């Protein structure tokens, strides 16, 4: 497999799953202390990786769980950002400028914080009231953050008796790192083929619904746009027929991401339409990934994890074929954050 270290990958994703027990104890403690609200505040793409967990909470609980932009919060904070709130701050580097500023802002307001970082000796890890550090790098961070935020929300729901079978779910998730590595291996040839087909494309429409919409948005914006300088149009499948459909014509590339939750029919509808008008429809389906030992219930929770792990293989081949390393940026080091 191109530029892939299986042992490293499995170790990192196992680390993501390993926070389950501590997350449950922490949620139990915070609820006993009377917390009333939970926010996720990440900067840039990492915030998108928290959205499936947030949506899960909003579907299954009346406990307020929402997302906010750190750079906006310090200028115009939402109501309820006080001592009865907990803010989860994910940051792979642990040094993201907007998130460091957010941490200082929250401490002044007495808001409790939980950071998720890839490095422990960093400002965001050190300054948080609680921290989970799981070393990761760009090519492994998506799955890690998806899993950690999922477990935090499941722990919250379990402690509120809104989710049965937390321990059984965790037991299944412990199988996942190795299965994800197998999924990458199975997808390798398809990823290489697809990369060769699209390497010269200048524009793609990305769509999905439910838990996989954030991955469609993330891959378009944070991988193809930021890391490959390829223009994309991420659009939620529920909005596709309210504007974006008019852009579909022969030769237009449409990526349809399909999950295994209740919103799948929205993606099916887009796929059916797009195939009538362009021969460049690419469907990535979480249901195509073989996961022995993983129940249908747990599969419905991890669709974005599965698609992220497949798309990483596409990225690995694209950067080589386009002679454009994923680390190459025009402006990143020059922008005043």
């Amino acid at each position: 497999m191109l530029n892939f270290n299986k042992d490293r990958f499995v170790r990192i994703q196992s680390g993501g799953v390993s926070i389950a027990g501590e997350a449950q104890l922490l949620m139990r403690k915070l609820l006993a202390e009377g917390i009333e609200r939970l926010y996720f505040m990440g900067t840039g793409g990492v915030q998108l990786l928290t959205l499936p967990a947030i949506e899960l909470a909003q579907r299954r609980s009346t406990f307020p769980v929402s997302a906010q932009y750190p750079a906006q919060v310090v200028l115009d904070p939402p109501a309820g950002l006080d001592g009865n709130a907990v803010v989860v701050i994910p940051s792979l580097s642990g040094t993201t400028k907007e998130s460091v500023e957010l941490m200082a802002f929250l401490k002044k307001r007495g808001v409790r914080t939980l950071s998720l970082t890839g490095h422990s000796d960093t400002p965001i890890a050190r300054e948080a009231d609680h921290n989970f550090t799981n070393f990761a790098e760009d090519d492994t961070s998506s799955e890690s953050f998806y899993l950690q935020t999922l477990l935090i929300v499941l722990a919250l729901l379990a402690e509120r008796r809104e989710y049965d079978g937390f321990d059984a779910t965790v037991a299944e998730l412990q199988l996942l790192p190795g299965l994800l590595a197998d999924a990458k291996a199975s997808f390798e040839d398809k990823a290489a083929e697809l990369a060769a087909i699209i390497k010269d494309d200048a524009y793609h429409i990305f769509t999905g619904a439910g838990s996989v919409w954030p991955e469609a948005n993330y891959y378009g914006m944070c991988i193809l746009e930021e890391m490959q300088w390829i223009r994309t149009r991420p659009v939620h499948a529920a909005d596709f027929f309210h504007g974006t459909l008019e852009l579909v014509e022969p030769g237009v590339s449409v990526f349809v991401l399909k999950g295994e939750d209740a919103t799948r029919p929205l993606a099916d509808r887009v796929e059916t339409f797009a195939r009538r008008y362009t021969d460049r429809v690419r469907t990535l389906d979480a249901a195509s990934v073989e996961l022995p030992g993983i129940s249908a219930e747990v599969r419905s929770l991890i669709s974005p994890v599965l698609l992220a792990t497949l798309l990483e293989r596409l990225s690995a081949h694209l950067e080589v074929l386009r002679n454009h390393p994923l680390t190459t940026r025009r402006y990143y080091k020059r922008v005043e954050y």
Side-chain angles (χ1 to χ4, degrees):
M1 292 172 65
L2 182 65
N3 295 332
F4 180 68
N5 182 321
K6 179 178 179 179
D7 291 340
R8 167 179 168 272
F9 175 81
V10 171
R11 182 171 61 252
I12 289 169
Q13 305 315 327
S14 297
V17 176
S18 72
I19 75 164
E22 290 180 79
Q24 186 175 28
L25 291 175
L26 178 58
M27 286 299 122
R28 185 176 302 164
K29 174 179 181 292
L30 292 172
L31 287 168
E33 291 173 353
I35 66 160
E36 299 175 355
R37 290 168 291 282
L38 180 65
Y39 296 97
F40 287 82
M41 299 186 186
T43 298
V46 73
Q47 177 73 335
L48 298 177
L49 304 177
T50 72
L51 298 183
I54 295 169
E55 185 167 278
L56 174 66
Q58 292 172 345
R59 293 288 180 271
R60 300 202 183 194
S61 178
T62 57
F63 190 90
V65 179
S66 62
Q68 296 284 332
Y69 294 107
Q72 182 165 301
V73 167
V74 299
L75 298 174
D76 190 14
L81 197 59
D82 53 29
N84 292 322
V86 174
V87 174
V88 180
I89 304 176
S91 171
L92 182 61
S93 68
T95 62
T96 311
K97 182 176 180 181
E98 293 99 322
S99 296
V100 171
E101 292 174 352
L102 173 70
M103 183 70 75
F105 178 82
L106 296 175
K107 288 178 78 70
K108 289 180 180 178
R109 296 174 70 101
V111 180
R112 281 170 278 197
T113 53
L114 164 61
S115 62
L116 306 175
T117 61
H119 306 274
S120 58
D121 189 20
T122 57
I124 294 171
R126 290 193 302 265
E127 294 299 319
D129 297 310
H130 309 278
N131 168 257
F132 294 131
T133 291
N134 181 46
F135 171 80
E137 293 177 294
D138 284 345
D139 60 327
T140 54
S141 63
S142 291
E143 299 96 328
S144 177
F145 281 122
Y146 276 138
L147 289 168
Q148 289 179 79
T149 53
L150 171 64
L151 286 164
I152 288 168
V153 163
L154 288 179
L156 171 68
L157 299 181
E159 289 304 307
R160 284 174 49 82
R161 293 174 171 74
E162 294 170 325
Y163 184 79
D164 295 328
F166 179 80
D167 291 341
T169 295
V170 171
E172 290 189 35
L173 291 178
Q174 288 170 343
L175 303 174
L176 193 59
L179 296 174
L180 291 176
D182 293 341
K184 286 179 181 288
S186 296
F187 190 67
E188 185 73 5
D189 290 344
K190 292 180 181 177
E193 179 183 356
L194 181 55
I197 293 170
I198 71 169
K199 65 182 177 65
D200 296 320
D201 287 356
Y203 166 66
H204 303 279
I205 295 171
F206 273 81
T207 190
S211 67
V212 304
W213 156 239
E215 180 60 24
N217 195 3
Y218 177 88
Y219 195 77
M221 181 177 72
C222 298
I223 307 302
L224 293 189
E225 291 184 349
E226 179 183 339
M227 299 183 182
Q228 289 293 292
W229 308 348
I230 296 172
R231 293 174 176 84
T232 70
R233 168 66 167 103
V235 57
H236 195 289
D239 285 334
F240 192 91
F241 294 94
H242 302 279
T244 306
L245 82 165
E246 295 293 342
L247 300 179
V248 179
E249 60 184 4
V252 170
S253 173
V254 180
F255 274 80
V256 181
L257 274 57
K258 301 173 75 169
E260 297 183 76
D261 58 20
T263 66
R264 185 180 176 94
L266 296 175
D268 290 337
R269 183 185 180 209
V270 172
E271 181 184 26
T272 299
F273 171 85
R275 289 193 183 281
R276 292 171 58 190
Y277 299 104
T278 178
D279 60 348
R280 297 175 70 79
V281 178
R282 288 85 186 216
T283 301
L284 276 76
D285 190 350
S288 69
V289 180
E290 294 186 9
L291 296 176
I294 305 297
S295 64
E297 167 69 16
V298 172
R299 287 189 70 113
S300 72
L301 301 174
I302 59 172
S303 291
V305 183
L306 304 182
L307 295 180
T309 219
L310 300 184
L311 284 166
E312 183 276 328
R313 290 289 80 209
L314 176 62
S315 304
H317 287 277
L318 270 180
E319 70 170 340
V320 172
L321 292 174
R322 301 184 75 247
N323 192 28
H324 187 132
L326 295 167
T327 54
T328 299
R329 306 286 193 277
R330 280 196 184 101
Y331 309 116
Y332 184 77
K333 296 298 184 183
R334 288 183 276 170
V335 174
E336 287 296 330
Y337 286 103

